[in-house]
Amino acid sequence: MTSSSLKAHSSELKAHKNRLSRISMREQFGADKKRFSKFSVCTDDMIFDYSKNRIDTPSMKALVALAKSAGVSNYRDRMFAGAQINETEGRAVLHTALRNTSGKPVLVDGKDVMPDIQKVLKAMAAFANKVRNGKYAVTEGKITDIVNIGIGGSDLGPAMATLALSPWHNGPRAHFVSNVDGADLADTFKKIEPATTLFIVASKTFTTQETMRNAESARTWLKKQLCKKDVGQHFAALSTNLEATRKFGIDDERTFGFWDWVGGRYSIWSAIGLSLMIAIGPKKFNEFLEGAHQADLHFQSEPYEKNIPVLMALLGIWNRNIWGHATQAVLPYDNRLSRFAAYLQQLDMESNGKRVMMNGKRATSDTGAILWGEPGTNGQHAFYQLIHQGTSVIPCDFLVAAKPQEKMGDHHSLLVANCLAQSEALMIGKTEDEAKSELIASGMSEKQAKALAPHKVFEGNRPSNTFLYKQLDPKTLGMLLAFYEHKVFAQGVIWGINSFDQWGVELGKALAGQLVPMVKDPALAKNKDASTLGLLASYHELKKAK
Ligand code: G6Q
């Protein structure tokens, strides 16, 4: 991967920006009645509308040319073919194989990985069915609650998706514990019955400090609650480390594996999805995989001009590198997508938050934008002020379903109207003259209106994309997630970085390891900077305080 293409294209792209900065989107929509159909893509039951960006046909052509010269399709094909594109970890990147429902083989080093994938999926489905229909019995029969213990990629995907798909949830209650803060586990203990709970320890490595400590504390709690020495039947494991799962006391028949070519943040499609599968059932889980597979086919076959993830990537680069917008908001008008932004934060920021390129040199352009968000309409009553009138421009992704998951009077019409109103307002804005006229029409004097009008101005011209889909169902969710995954991938290719490693999380982990003994015992606090030593000393003091 190389970022020389972005460098080579940037003066042309900047010239387009300079030209477009003199035209408002309001004018563009006024002048071209076909703007929506020109700048939107339909697939299946989903529409991706990107017409509310500061673009026109020539600038889009220039962006598509950038994707071509960066070799996005070449890297894409190498990824799908199992090449070791994760060079810094010497691994293939094959989460797409996990949802390959086509029946076609996928070769890694000459070996078809599909039979192993299908074997695990089959074992997961058999176990999930047993848990769901009460045939997997523990201390007091039927499982009523499952608790996924995992963190990062082993938590965010299943937690987000289980909430998003709660209307299809007909299995045992699902809980998710990730934080090493004992409050997470303690609050969960209050909601579950020990005798009928299954803990699913989700950890690719089975060495992650937070997860292992939470799993050990869950085991201790169970032993105490059930007055039993062996509580192994209350545990299942999702891991690539069989030695460690056995050592923990989890039977191989309740251990579901995956492979080193599945990155943590791309692992919802693997055994890591077991809690979701138990919640919604194997059939719906399969529809979730099918949706992602459809998105994979789209990414592989559509020309760049109609390729949703490529367009998302290019618009992101346009906004980040050419217009200089440092952040990106994701605003689902879908309450059950309330963990969607958190999930995407990991996907996007852990993948593309890199300042070193594949060639070991410092990146020649800015890379991953800061991603954040909350569901609308709640956000409207909180931080949208800054999005509309703040000094920074924040490109937004809006997401909304045509059909609600719940039928409740006119709630959904209100939700949709709010969603469309926000992107319209961001695009169209309000001039000072318009603001002043409105104030005068409301009965204000000319003088008062003149003084207040500047506060009521909306500059407009603020970019957004909108995903409109039929309904938030398993297939649609699978599709959406895969589109975002491929967007991140295509951006990584254009920036010349490796989107599949995460060395940036290592230093903090190592230092935490050093600090644990010093936090436990003040006498051991040494060889640290003055701030850390000062904080340690204060911590030990405050701990003693009454
Ligand atoms: C994701 C990261 C990271 C990982 C967690 C949990 O891509 O690698 O978020 O998922 O650190 O790791 P384990 O699954 O090994 O416990």
Side-chain angles (χ1 to χ4, degrees):
M1 299 185 195
T2 158
S3 79
S4 57
S5 1
L6 179 54
K7 226 173 149 188
H9 286 248
S10 88
S11 58
E12 189 197 342
L13 290 169
K14 280 186 181 140
H16 283 295
K17 178 209 158 187
N18 291 340
R19 182 174 54 74
L20 287 163
S21 54
R22 293 191 288 271
I23 315 166
S24 69
M25 281 200 269
R26 199 197 265 227
E27 286 165 328
Q28 288 179 306
F29 272 97
D32 184 359
K33 298 292 165 222
K34 294 208 174 110
R35 190 171 167 86
F36 171 71
S37 56
K38 260 188 205 162
F39 300 120
S40 60
V41 182
C42 277
T43 171
D44 244 11
D45 295 325
M46 194 180 282
I47 292 161
F48 174 64
D49 170 25
Y50 62 99
S51 59
K52 293 189 188 101
N53 276 281
R54 305 204 70 181
I55 50 164
D56 61 0
T57 302
S59 58
M60 283 314 295
K61 276 200 179 132
L63 284 167
V64 165
L66 164 66
K68 285 188 180 150
S69 75
V72 169
S73 52
N74 175 36
Y75 281 101
R76 174 198 66 198
D77 295 346
R78 292 184 64 221
M79 173 172 77
F80 277 89
Q84 285 202 355
I85 62 164
N86 177 355
E87 292 176 26
T88 55
E89 295 182 323
R91 287 174 186 169
V93 174
L94 268 180
H95 46 281
T96 51
L98 300 165
R99 59 217 191 193
N100 168 25
T101 49
S102 71
K104 292 187 188 148
V106 176
L107 304 177
V108 176
D109 299 329
K111 186 187 168 226
D112 182 10
V113 296
M114 290 314 300
D116 282 348
I117 292 174
Q118 275 146 6
K119 205 168 132 197
V120 174
L121 268 176
K122 223 169 135 192
M124 285 166 66
F127 183 67
N129 280 332
K130 261 166 91 180
V131 170
R132 286 164 56 81
N133 61 27
K135 294 225 170 91
Y136 181 73
V138 287
T139 306
E140 270 175 28
K142 209 171 139 70
I143 302 282
T144 56
D145 295 85
I146 56 169
V147 182
N148 186 85
I149 299 183
I151 196 164
S154 299
D155 164 70
L156 285 160
M160 176 275 297
T162 303
L163 174 61
L165 300 179
S166 52
W168 288 271
H169 192 157
N170 50 13
R173 286 181 293 270
H175 312 266
F176 294 86
V177 169
S178 53
N179 204 317
V180 77
D181 182 344
D184 204 358
L185 208 45
D187 288 347
T188 307
F189 288 158
K190 287 180 203 147
K191 298 180 209 152
I192 58 179
E193 273 303 318
T196 53
T197 293
L198 175 74
F199 288 94
I200 300 174
V201 187
S203 176
K204 181 174 163 181
T205 54
F206 228 73
T207 55
T208 304
Q209 186 198 57
E210 295 92 329
T211 300
M212 295 329 296
R213 185 60 83 251
N214 277 330
E216 283 152 9
S217 298
R219 187 175 53 187
T220 308
W221 177 78
L222 264 185
K223 284 183 180 172
K224 204 168 155 208
Q225 297 288 316
L226 302 175
C227 301
K228 257 174 122 178
K229 267 202 182 124
D230 182 6
V231 289
Q233 62 173 172
H234 286 264
F235 283 87
L238 318 174
S239 184
T240 53
N241 185 352
L242 271 181
E243 206 182 310
T245 55
R246 284 176 193 146
K247 207 164 154 211
F248 187 89
I250 305 177
D251 255 32
D252 283 4
E253 64 167 30
R254 286 191 311 283
T255 299
F256 303 90
F258 49 112
W259 304 270
D260 70 356
W261 40 257
V262 187
R265 56 195 173 275
Y266 299 88
S267 65
I268 171 75
W269 323 103
S270 72
I272 292 294
L274 183 68
S275 46
L276 173 65
M277 189 192 261
I278 294 176
I280 64 172
K283 190 168 164 279
K284 291 289 159 192
F285 187 81
N286 207 47
E287 288 174 21
F288 173 64
L289 298 185
E290 182 56 35
H293 180 60
Q294 294 298 323
D296 292 343
L297 295 177
H298 172 102
F299 181 46
Q300 286 175 288
S301 61
E302 288 297 321
Y304 290 165
E305 293 80 358
K306 292 278 163 201
N307 194 308
I308 294 175
V310 172
L311 291 169
M312 290 166 79
L314 291 174
L315 292 162
I317 283 176
W318 176 243
N319 285 326
R320 173 83 173 115
N321 299 111
I322 309 301
W323 289 78
H325 307 321
T327 86
Q328 148 91 65
V330 177
L331 307 164
Y333 278 67
D334 220 316
N335 202 47
R336 290 183 178 133
L337 283 181
S338 61
R339 295 294 290 153
F340 192 61
Y343 173 82
L344 289 186
Q345 267 173 346
Q346 180 187 29
L347 174 65
D348 203 312
M349 291 161 73
E350 198 166 57
S351 298
N352 285 344
K354 316 267 161 80
R355 54 153 189 73
V356 171
M357 296 187 294
M358 279 305 302
N359 60 13
K361 303 231 162 73
R362 196 178 173 103
T364 47
S365 61
D366 280 324
T367 60
I370 298 157
L371 193 147
W372 56 283
E374 276 287 317
T377 58
N378 300 21
Q380 288 173 211
H381 297 265
F383 55 80
Y384 277 39
Q385 164 66 37
L386 188 147
I387 298 184
H388 284 289
Q389 287 189 318
T391 49
S392 298
V393 172
I394 298 165
C396 301
D397 278 1
F398 293 97
L399 296 102
V400 69
K403 291 182 180 205
Q405 288 180 334
E406 305 294 337
K407 289 200 180 78
M408 198 176 285
D410 66 350
H411 282 241
H412 200 64
S413 304
L414 300 183
L415 184 72
V416 174
N418 272 285
C419 179
L420 300 186
Q422 291 304 318
S423 67
E424 183 188 2
L426 287 170
M427 182 274 285
I428 207 163
K430 189 187 280 185
T431 64
E432 193 161 340
D433 279 350
E434 285 166 344
K436 204 174 135 198
S437 309
E438 277 178 16
L439 291 170
I440 289 170
S442 75
M444 216 174 246
S445 73
E446 167 82 23
K447 197 175 160 210
Q448 283 171 321
K450 199 173 166 212
L452 191 55
H455 300 277
K456 297 219 159 204
V457 169
F458 291 74
E459 281 179 345
N461 276 321
R462 302 203 161 194
S464 68
N465 299 317
T466 299
F467 268 113
L468 171 67
Y469 38 85
K470 190 164 88 185
Q471 189 176 34
L472 185 65
D473 56 19
K475 187 176 167 205
T476 302
L477 183 69
M479 220 171 183
L480 274 175
L481 300 189
F483 279 151
Y484 274 96
E485 281 180 355
H486 295 320
K487 167 210 149 177
V488 166
F489 166 78
Q491 290 190 329
V493 172
I494 294 169
W495 283 322
I497 55 178
N498 180 2
S499 301
F500 300 104
D501 61 12
Q502 56 282 315
W503 302 107
V505 303
E506 297 300 329
L507 179 59
K509 269 191 209 169
L511 294 181
Q514 285 175 15
L515 279 160
V516 170
M518 304 185 207
V519 171
K520 289 184 176 171
D521 180 354
L524 299 176
K526 49 177 157 303
N527 299 331
K528 288 282 166 196
D529 61 88
S531 163
T532 308
L533 287 174
L535 288 168
L536 278 168
S538 305
Y539 162 77
H540 287 295
E541 271 310 303
L542 282 169
K543 232 173 83 167
K544 282 189 264 165
K546 282 209 182 124

